[in-house]
Amino acid sequence: MGRRSILVAAGWVATVAVATLIGLGAIRLVGESLTGTPGGVRSEAEIERALASPEAVPTGTTGTASVGPGTTSPAPSASSGVRRGFATDGGTAVAECGAGGVRLVSWAPAQGYRVRDVDRGPDDDVEVTFQGPTREYELKVRCIGSEPVAVADD
């Protein structure tokens, strides 16, 4: 192998090394927003606690709230009632009670599941069905008093 071939190979290796170092430096500068989960990773118990306790909803908000991949529903109005989250192995949902009855505010399937059917309300009861490869989970919610409660399917 000639001297010229050795110089070309050494130049190529040096260029690759410099490009790799620049890329790693750029990722380090960008930080967690590119390589990590903002706010950290939550345990399953933390998620269930967060879904079980209703959050205060500001009144008079406008806009839309996400209810699933590619779908939206109107944001809660000043007449919105108590919100509560529900979790199954097939997915999660948030429901609220209001003047028109209960309505599903949002829902999301768990990994490996899809939403097969949704009755978002408002109505006397609402339900969402999560379909998995081997099992199906149906979540049905009614208002008891002014609080959403999961009930067994009739």
Side-chain angles (χ1 to χ4, degrees), residues 17-43:
V18 168
T20 301
L21 290 175
I22 290 172
L24 290 173
I27 290 173
R28 177 172 245 147
L29 285 175
V30 171
E32 213 174 77
S33 66
L34 182 62
T35 61
T37 304
V41 176
R42 292 185 175 203
S43 70

Side-chain angles (χ1 to χ4, degrees), residues 43-128:
S43 70
E44 186 175 332
E46 288 175 313
I47 293 169
E48 285 182 19
R49 275 194 306 274
L51 288 172
S53 62
E55 293 182 14
V57 178
T59 58
T61 58
T62 59
T64 59
S66 177
V67 293
T71 61
T72 58
S73 74
S77 66
S79 64
S80 293
V82 175
R83 279 190 180 185
R84 184 166 175 213
F86 301 91
T88 69
D89 288 342
T92 59
V94 176
E96 75 177 357
C97 292
V102 64
R103 77 176 184 99
L104 285 176
V105 177
S106 64
W107 56 90
Q111 187 171 359
Y113 285 80
R114 65 180 177 84
V115 175
R116 190 186 67 143
D117 190 33
V118 177
D119 174 12
R120 72 166 78 180
D123 203 346
D124 292 337
D125 55 56
V126 293
E127 56 190 69
V128 58

